[in-house]
Amino acid sequence: MRESGPVQLSAKGGAGQAPAVQTAEAPAPRYGLWSAVAAGTLVLAGALLYGLSVWRKANKGFVGQLVIEVRDEDTGERTSPQYRKLNAFKGKVTLHQPLQLAPEFAETKDVFFRPGPNDRLVLYNETPCVVEKGGRVFDAAKGKEPQANDRVRILLSTVHRSVTVEYIK
């Protein structure tokens, strides 16, 4: 490896002159470039981790099953219990899905379940339906966790029917 540039020798005049020496300075270190690369890598890694956590939360599975009974409030007639396993669903289950999407229960589209911590179920109600547990009305707008074997009754406002949901682990 050569430390200096090539020197050209010429026999034409100016024999007493010394060849011009070219000095090259070493390039200054690029701290700004490396810090920008490191910052960009950290931002990309943070965005990737955030996206991964959102994806895992959306695809979290359920544990247990729901027992669903529909009762006509006018006649008192009950349907036979329907057992729906929750492990087939991921992320979010509306009450409308286990009720086999019957048009008379269209009001239950905004009553939904999400998986909670420790394999629990969280009930959310974003409808004018009344949600009762043990005969008492409770507000499930921000989410409530029914315990195992709790019976939750949802009174529909448009039709005179109620849906009883029991969560079994």
Side-chain angles (χ1 to χ4, degrees):
M1 186 148 86
R2 205 175 214 174
E3 292 183 9
S4 63
V7 177
Q8 292 182 347
L9 298 176
S10 173
K12 295 180 185 177
Q17 293 180 348
V21 178
Q22 298 176 354
T23 59
E25 287 187 30
R30 298 182 179 181
Y31 295 118
L33 176 66
W34 288 110
S35 63
V37 168
T41 304
L42 287 175
V43 168
L44 183 64
L48 183 69
L49 288 174
Y50 177 74
L52 181 65
S53 70
V54 168
W55 180 77
R56 287 184 68 196
K57 185 176 181 181
N59 288 323
K60 186 176 179 182
F62 290 93
V63 175
Q65 62 184 357
L66 292 178
V67 180
I68 300 171
E69 294 178 351
V70 178
R71 180 174 183 241
D72 190 348
E73 295 295 324
D74 293 333
T75 62
E77 179 184 339
R78 288 182 178 234
T79 62
S80 60
Q82 300 175 19
Y83 293 86
R84 301 287 181 209
K85 291 195 181 275
L86 292 174
N87 59 1
F89 299 104
K90 300 273 185 209
K92 177 180 170 182
V93 178
T94 64
L95 186 58
H96 197 59
Q97 288 170 328
L99 289 173
Q100 299 169 339
L101 306 175
E104 59 201 32
F105 300 114
E107 178 175 16
T108 60
K109 285 182 182 176
D110 291 328
V111 176
F112 57 92
F113 300 98
R114 288 196 177 212
N118 300 326
D119 292 335
R120 289 193 168 188
L121 195 67
V122 181
L123 170 69
Y124 293 91
N125 180 19
E126 298 177 351
T127 64
C129 298
V130 176
V131 179
E132 294 179 351
K133 180 176 138 185
R136 295 184 181 184
V137 176
F138 72 95
D139 183 26
K142 295 181 183 176
K144 290 286 185 179
E145 287 185 16
Q147 304 294 326
N149 300 326
D150 274 353
R151 294 180 75 94
V152 177
R153 186 171 162 212
I154 301 164
L155 298 167
L156 304 177
S157 59
T158 56
V159 292
H160 292 288
R161 293 190 180 188
S162 65
V163 179
T164 304
V165 178
E166 184 176 354
Y167 173 57
I168 300 174
K169 276 194 173 183

